[in-house]
């Protein structure tokens, strides 16, 4: 990452509709950091989320889960 995980979390949390952001560092190997980012909220713009992550020097490798509905499981 070009910015710290704390700064990335703050930038993501400022996006309209984002209510919570959690970043967990899973592995650090040489210059590669593997993290898991969980974002909760309502009606947030995924394109903006992706843009903030990419501007931080990171990339999205996969999306494990998307939940929707009146009640989340």
């Amino acid at each position: 990452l070009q910015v710290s995980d704390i700064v990335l979390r703050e930038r993501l949390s400022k996006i309209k509709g984002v209510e919570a952001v959690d970043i967990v560092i899973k592995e650090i190997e040489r210059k590669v950091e593997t993290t898991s980012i969980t974002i909760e909220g309502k009606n947030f713009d995924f394109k903006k989320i992706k843009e903030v992550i990419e501007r931080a020097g990171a990339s999205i490798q996969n999306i494990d889960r998307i939940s929707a509905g009146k009640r989340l499981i």
Side-chain angles (χ1 to χ4, degrees):
L1 289 174
Q2 294 174 357
V3 300
S4 74
D5 294 329
I6 294 168
V7 171
L8 178 58
R9 186 191 67 215
E10 289 173 358
R11 290 178 183 174
L12 289 169
S13 67
K14 290 181 181 178
I15 294 172
K16 182 180 178 182
V18 172
E19 295 175 5
V21 176
D22 182 51
I23 299 177
V24 177
I25 300 169
K26 293 188 167 197
E27 181 181 5
I28 299 174
E29 186 176 318
R30 294 187 186 182
K31 294 184 178 183
V32 177
E33 183 177 299
T34 303
T35 61
S36 175
I37 302 175
T38 303
I39 300 171
E40 293 183 359
K42 296 178 183 176
N43 300 318
F44 54 79
D45 185 347
F46 177 74
K47 288 180 183 178
K48 289 188 187 249
I49 300 277
K50 184 178 179 201
E51 183 179 299
V52 168
I53 290 171
E54 289 175 348
R55 281 188 183 171
S59 63
I60 298 172
Q61 296 300 313
N62 61 10
I63 298 175
D64 294 326
R65 183 171 74 182
I66 298 173
S67 300
K70 292 181 181 179
R71 187 175 69 82
L72 299 181
I73 301 170

